[in-house]
Amino acid sequence: MAKKGNQADTKLLMIENLQVEVEGREILHHVDLEINQGETHVLFGPNGSGKTTLLMATMGFPDYQITGGRILFKGEDITSIPLNERANLGFGLSFQRPPTIKGVNMRQILEICGKGDKDVESMARSLDFDEFLDRDLNDGFSGGEIKRSELLQLMAQNPDFLLLDEPESGVDLENIALIGKVIEKLLERETVSQKGISRKELKREREKAGLIITHTGYILDYVDADIGHVIIAGEKCCEGNPREILKTIKEQGYDECVRCCGLNTGALSKDKEIRSN
Amino acid sequence: MQTQKEEKEALAKEASDKVSTYGTDIDLEAFSAETDPHPYQEDLSAFSQTEQSQMLKAGVELTAKNRSGTFIQKDLSVVHASTSQDGIEVMDIEEALEKYDWFHQYWWKAVPVDMDKYTARAELHQEHGYFIRSLPGTSSIYPVQACLYMEEDNLAQDVHNVIIAERGSELHIITGCATAPHVKSGLHLGVSEFYIKKGAKITFTMIHNWVEGVAVRPRSATIVEEGGLFISNYVCMQPVGTLQTYPVAYLVGEGATARFNSILVATSGSVMDVGARVYLKSKGTRSEIISRAITTGGKIIARGHIIGEVPGIKAHLECKGLILTDEGMIHAVPELEGHRKDVDLSHEAAVGKIAQEEIEYLMARGLSQEEATATIVRGFLNVDIEGLPPELKAEMDRAVEVSEKSLL
Ligand SMILES: Nc1ncnc2c1ncn2[C@@H]1O[C@H](COP(=O)(O)OP(=O)(O)OP(=O)(O)O)[C@@H](O)[C@H]1O
Ligand SMILES: [Mg+2]
């Protein structure tokens, strides 16, 4: 892939001034977002604000029509390349509401994700999901089982850039720990220190990046995300320290974000501090 | 007094112009009724390569070791009948007729001889067919295979088959119908009567491998006694001229079960009218009718009819169709008929194109649109059949696989 200057080297994903329409209605208005290699970002926002829309448009689903702006991945404009090509470039998405596919079982989909050369059985075991291998994809899966199924598929796929849509919603506490650890691993964020390698070096070597939608923020207990964003009514209104954003939302609700949106310079300057760290 | 033979013949004569309720009417005179006989062949490996490969496409594997018996009829001649397991009988129906004085109890007792002009013709022009029977308590270790092969062009093949599973026995049958590659037209009429005694089980897997110009009118019925089980799988994925069949099962004994699965693919020019009808006549009887239909340009009518006559029965009908091109047509006709308040009858029917959402989901995992479509179609055709022996499952999978290649 052609590299375009120094900036593009570190910028893994650049979303510029993105406008997205669904069913003829504009859902996202002028959204900007940048993710560097090795970074994990989280996305907050009230129900219906456009978070899933942003992920689906980034992944390239045709129903999420990009009517303005562009998406660059590793410096290359991918705004109009098809879904499966993005998957093959290293995008992996876990769905909020995946469809059921009758007659295609879990084992088959994992073979597809892993291009046939992964140890599907042991992967499934690691997510306590081996009993589901012969079941049809998402057929009658509970909410929490769907999350594990999605994650298991990403494990087999092993993408460079993960788009996770509420991976922990509806998951019981025990399984949150399980899921959290898997996501941590997929994003190369395990903190087990290896001899002779500092955390800073670990971070520099990290290639995987991610964008995670969360309402609860539980995922932050496992993945020490770098940056948080808030989307309200299709506009990105804040970017900053994910824990601080979560704290504000928990204490003051999205009303505070709406209020702050009007004068969001504070949040943005905070963001600059984080990035320069 | 009239003998049974005379009685049936009289009924058949009366019905010889009786148009069938379903399917386009076929001019029986258009086909020849006679042809030269073919010699009997003891050695299965002596069949020509072409014959072997045509039969193989219909699931009949002449060289296979894992078969309990083999029956082959070519045009109007029985060319092979053998069995390799005690307690399993495989023979020419004419031989059974002579051998057993009780045989008349199973002749035209499930299918009425005067149902339509096709059953009538089968009585008046019948040439052989098979008799397969498992003796009380016997289980066929491997499936028995039967093949009805059409070698002569424009011939009418009328066969009458009787299959009996005696008390507590188990019979697995794979039957394939196939034509020689040069055949352009023909008529296949097959009457099949199944009798499943107390606690017995029959799985019957039929794979059809016809050609464009062939007309097919099978007529079959099954009577299932107490605790008996009948599983019928029908696969027809190759082109055919016109095919119409509506097998019936009568669940007369308490706790009897019947399951019908059919997998149909209609290519351009094929017309398939395929159904299954089940009468639940006794307490605790169960039934399931499942069909999967795909059209790539042909016409499919998928019927199902469940009749619940007594309380405490349960049955389900599932009819799914995929239309892959605008030229194709699928008409699902699910019918439920309850005669008592305590019956549990349900159906599910869906006809349409492949859900875009499912294709996109697989594309998000890296598959191209074509690969995603193929995966979903394969899944659609992958009906899980409980109680089917692995050899038969493998044959079905293979038949599906062969056709998929030409489908996608
Ligand atoms: N296929 C669709 N047809 C019509 N409207 C849609 C469609 N998909 C999304 N929308 C609308 O777009 C808006 C944003 O939806 P989106 O799913 O992106 O929200 P979200 O932020 O992910 O919400 P949640 O937190 O509830 O998951 C909503 O008003 C939704 O109703
Ligand atoms: Mg959402």
Side-chain angles (χ1 to χ4, degrees):
Chain A
M1 200 171 309
K3 286 183 180 172
K4 294 176 186 169
N6 284 337
Q7 198 196 15
D9 272 347
T10 50
K11 294 277 178 282
L12 185 73
L13 183 83
M14 285 209 281
I15 292 175
E16 294 176 354
N17 200 20
L18 201 70
Q19 260 172 281
V20 177
E21 256 183 33
V22 182
E23 305 264 324
R25 184 159 76 94
E26 190 173 297
I27 306 290
L28 293 182
H29 328 284
H30 312 289
V31 171
D32 291 306
L33 200 140
E34 284 180 12
I35 298 177
N36 290 324
Q37 188 176 313
E39 282 180 357
T40 294
H41 294 210
V42 288
L43 205 52
F44 300 103
N47 292 138
S49 57
K51 304 180 297 299
T52 296
T53 303
L54 180 60
L55 257 58
M56 299 299 263
T58 306
M59 187 72 209
F61 284 87
D63 284 352
Y64 298 79
Q65 211 193 331
I66 297 175
T67 52
R70 55 179 199 157
I71 304 170
L72 304 183
F73 187 65
K74 295 181 182 165
E76 197 190 350
D77 190 340
I78 58 153
T79 317
S80 51
I81 76 164
L83 179 58
N84 56 314
E85 285 179 31
R86 295 189 210 196
N88 293 326
L89 278 179
F91 283 57
L93 175 94
S94 86
F95 289 66
Q96 184 174 16
R97 268 195 306 269
T100 295
I101 305 183
K102 288 273 182 75
V104 176
N105 65 27
M106 206 59 222
R107 191 187 306 276
Q108 278 170 273
I109 191 80
L110 292 174
E111 295 293 344
I112 288 169
C113 290
K115 309 248 183 257
D117 63 355
K118 299 281 163 62
D119 184 356
V120 163
E121 300 276 340
S122 70
M123 273 182 189
R125 239 175 286 124
S126 76
L127 259 170
D128 200 12
F129 215 64
D130 38 331
E131 278 172 26
F132 289 76
L133 284 174
D134 292 319
R135 274 182 57 181
D136 283 352
L137 189 62
N138 300 322
D139 189 19
F141 286 12
S142 75
E145 287 161 0
I146 281 179
K147 302 294 174 190
R148 272 190 284 159
S149 150
E150 287 296 302
L151 212 52
L152 187 53
Q153 292 175 56
L154 290 188
M155 251 174 114
Q157 215 180 327
N158 194 23
D160 292 336
F161 180 56
L162 288 93
L163 295 151
L164 309 176
D165 199 342
E166 300 190 29
E168 86 280 49
S169 288
V171 177
D172 67 51
L173 288 176
E174 212 171 299
N175 278 305
I176 281 190
L178 193 63
I179 279 179
K181 293 218 175 75
V182 170
I183 295 177
E184 184 184 36
K185 195 170 166 193
L186 283 173
L187 288 165
E188 299 176 322
R189 286 184 165 262
E190 289 162 300
T191 41
V192 277
S193 55
Q194 287 163 268
K195 271 211 186 89
I197 304 176
S198 70
R199 282 192 63 177
K200 225 173 191 165
E201 280 172 312
L202 255 181
K203 192 176 167 187
R204 206 176 305 130
E205 276 177 24
R206 188 192 299 141
E207 291 192 346
K208 302 289 168 82
L211 180 57
I212 309 177
I213 298 177
T214 178
H215 284 293
T216 62
Y218 288 147
I219 198 68
L220 295 175
D221 296 343
Y222 301 91
V223 179
D224 186 20
D226 304 286
I227 296 186
H229 307 263
V230 180
I231 289 194
I232 291 178
E235 304 214 30
K236 208 185 87 178
C237 70
C238 174
E239 181 169 333
N241 180 314
R243 288 165 193 283
E244 280 175 26
I245 292 176
L246 181 65
K247 194 162 171 264
T248 310
I249 296 166
K250 274 189 176 164
E251 287 169 2
Q252 294 162 276
Y254 283 111
D255 284 350
E256 173 57 18
C257 298
V258 174
R259 194 193 60 78
C260 166
C261 250
L263 24 115
N264 64 17
T265 41
L268 282 177
S269 62
K270 233 184 270 166
D271 160 53
K272 290 215 177 75
E273 281 166 38
I274 296 162
R275 278 184 184 262
S276 57
N277 275 348
Chain B
M1 210 188 86
Q2 242 184 350
T3 63
Q4 178 177 311
K5 179 81 187 149
E6 286 162 356
E7 187 196 326
K8 298 291 178 197
E9 253 183 48
L11 285 169
K13 278 191 182 128
E14 250 174 71
S16 56
D17 291 321
K18 189 173 165 187
V19 173
S20 170
T21 318
Y22 308 101
T24 49
D25 191 45
I26 293 168
D27 176 15
L28 300 174
E29 303 304 317
F31 303 91
S32 61
E34 278 163 35
T35 183
D36 297 336
H38 299 285
Y40 189 86
Q41 269 173 319
E42 193 67 47
D43 181 8
L44 286 172
S45 60
F47 283 87
S48 76
Q49 278 307 317
T50 314
E51 286 167 346
Q52 294 205 23
S53 83
Q54 288 300 96
M55 290 185 199
L56 189 62
K57 283 186 212 153
V60 174
E61 211 176 337
L62 297 186
T63 51
K65 292 276 172 289
N66 53 353
R67 295 289 189 263
S68 287
T70 298
F71 174 93
I72 298 167
Q73 175 163 346
K74 209 160 130 183
D75 294 332
L76 308 177
S77 319
V78 173
V79 294
H80 185 94
S82 67
T83 168
S84 59
Q85 192 190 335
D86 285 346
I88 304 288
E89 300 179 335
V90 177
M91 62 184 93
D92 181 353
I93 195 104
E94 311 294 344
E95 191 184 331
L97 190 63
E98 277 183 18
K99 184 170 174 182
Y100 295 118
D101 56 8
W102 44 257
F103 187 80
H104 63 276
Q105 295 170 29
Y106 301 95
W107 192 247
W108 293 119
K109 290 297 192 249
V111 176
V113 66
D114 56 355
M115 187 168 129
D116 55 31
K117 63 198 264 190
Y118 310 114
T119 54
R121 165 144 183 148
E123 168 62 21
L124 302 171
H125 289 270
Q126 177 236 335
E127 296 279 355
H128 305 281
Y130 52 79
F131 175 81
I132 301 175
R133 175 176 174 234
S134 51
L135 299 184
T138 322
S139 294
S140 67
I141 302 170
Y142 297 118
V144 172
Q145 62 184 0
C147 183
L148 301 167
Y149 190 80
M150 292 172 73
E151 165 83 26
E152 183 71 26
D153 198 27
N154 202 42
L155 183 72
Q157 190 182 49
D158 314 87
V159 299
H160 192 145
N161 311 311
V162 170
I163 302 98
I164 305 171
E166 300 286 358
R167 273 178 164 238
S169 70
E170 207 175 288
L171 199 48
H172 301 286
I173 301 170
I174 181 158
T175 132
C177 293
T179 46
H182 62 260
V183 168
K184 298 260 176 312
S185 67
L187 171 67
H188 173 86
L189 299 178
V191 174
S192 301
E193 301 187 272
F194 297 82
Y195 301 91
I196 302 178
K197 302 299 181 64
K198 190 174 172 180
K201 169 180 175 179
I202 291 180
T203 75
F204 183 75
T205 299
M206 182 147 86
I207 299 174
H208 274 177
N209 185 22
W210 303 109
V211 289
E212 274 92 359
V214 175
V216 185
R217 293 290 183 270
R219 295 291 178 260
S220 86
T222 306
I223 296 173
V224 191
E225 293 180 7
E226 188 182 330
L229 170 65
F230 181 56
I231 299 177
S232 161
N233 305 304
Y234 180 61
V235 180
C236 187
M237 303 177 70
Q238 298 297 327
V240 62
T242 157
L243 157 69
Q244 187 275 317
T245 183
Y246 208 161
V248 189
Y250 302 93
L251 306 181
V252 297
E254 218 172 281
T257 302
R259 288 199 208 109
F260 286 89
N261 304 292
S262 49
I263 295 177
L264 307 169
V265 174
T267 50
S268 177
S270 300
V271 178
M272 301 175 170
D273 183 336
V274 175
R277 180 178 274 147
V278 180
Y279 289 86
L280 295 100
K281 294 172 143 328
S282 192
K283 208 173 81 189
T285 50
R286 299 269 176 275
S287 182
E288 194 174 62
I289 299 173
I290 292 177
S291 78
R292 296 278 186 274
I294 292 185
T295 170
T296 58
K299 179 173 163 182
I300 298 177
I301 304 171
R303 301 177 195 275
H305 187 186
I306 290 172
I307 304 101
E309 298 188 347
V310 296
I313 56 100
K314 191 176 162 73
H316 181 69
L317 192 57
E318 184 184 302
C319 194
K320 292 194 176 161
L322 274 187
I323 303 174
L324 298 184
T325 64
D326 284 338
E327 290 75 52
M329 194 279 262
I330 296 178
H331 182 176
V333 192
E335 291 182 67
L336 302 179
E337 194 179 318
H339 292 264
R340 291 289 180 274
K341 63 177 195 243
D342 187 20
V343 296
D344 179 355
L345 308 178
S346 57
H347 84 74
E348 194 184 337
V351 173
K353 60 172 184 171
I354 299 177
Q356 193 57 26
E357 193 192 14
E358 295 177 22
I359 294 178
E360 286 170 9
Y361 186 82
L362 296 178
M363 287 176 73
R365 302 300 185 226
L367 295 189
S368 68
Q369 172 133 13
E370 294 70 37
E371 290 165 336
T373 306
T375 304
I376 293 164
V377 167
R378 208 170 297 133
F380 177 83
L381 294 174
N382 179 13
V383 185
D384 237 340
I385 298 160
E386 215 181 298
L388 195 66
E391 290 87 5
L392 291 191
K393 175 74 180 133
E395 290 301 346
M396 263 186 80
D397 287 349
R398 201 181 51 192
V400 170
E401 212 173 286
V402 166
S403 314
E404 268 168 16
K405 289 201 185 105
S406 52
L407 188 62
L408 300 161

